[in-house]
Amino acid sequence: MIPIDDNIRSWQKPIINCWLIGINLVVFIWEINLSWSDQLGYLINNWGIIPAQTNMAIANAFLYNSAAWIIVLWRFLAIPISLFLHGSFSQILGNLLFLWVFGKTVESILGHRQYLLLYLTAGVFSGLVQIILSSGSTVPSIGANAAIASILGAYIIKFPQAKIYSVIPLLILYIPMEIPVIFYLFWWFIQQSFYGIGSLNMTNGTGFSNVDYWGQCAALVTGVAFMKIRQKF
């Protein structure tokens, strides 16, 4: 199922949403160039979320050397940066498609600043949850998945009865349908398992993870809470 648009009329131009989509595309093109020169693995290792490295850096800073806080700062700086890194064509296409369909409507409700705040806050919070709950993981986690999960949460709270114009590919045919938005909440988490399709070339044994369900659940709750609070004021 491919979401195309929704039946909610947007009153503001999705300026921030377009900028986010553009930045993600530019970064991904850069990643493709790095993959051709076998340098992409270094980028993912340095700027992906790696819970084991982050927790080790914190332990070293407390126990041994105050200068180690520089490494801690670097590992935490990687959390927002990792939101703009993607490891496969399926991941970038799926994320940006969902971002376009649902993000433009949420931005029209929240406004530009609050929309950007939700996107970044949920992404960072998801990374922190991952560092705590997957403390021993050595696999870099990248992608805007968590930020988009928060947008889905905010969307469903505001528009629980919305319909999503979708197409279902069937061999060479594309069947148009209107699907309730609540269905896409479940479909979003299911399709995370397919985001490794079309992975970029990463050397030095580097892989990446895009399926951190605890972190994405935390981001979803963040989006729900954000919209609930927004509706009260």
Side-chain angles (χ1 to χ4, degrees), residues 39-52:
Q39 298 297 313
L40 181 58
Y42 296 104
L43 175 70
I44 301 302
N45 272 326
N46 285 329
W47 297 108
I49 300 173
I50 308 178

Side-chain angles (χ1 to χ4, degrees), residues 10-12 15 20 38 48 79 110 121 127 131 135 146 161 165 194 199 205 219 221 225:
S10 300
W11 297 100
Q12 290 191 50
I15 298 173
L20 290 172
D38 295 331
I79 297 177
L110 295 179
T121 300
I131 289 170
S135 58
Q161 305 301 323
Y165 302 126
F194 300 97
S199 295
V221 172

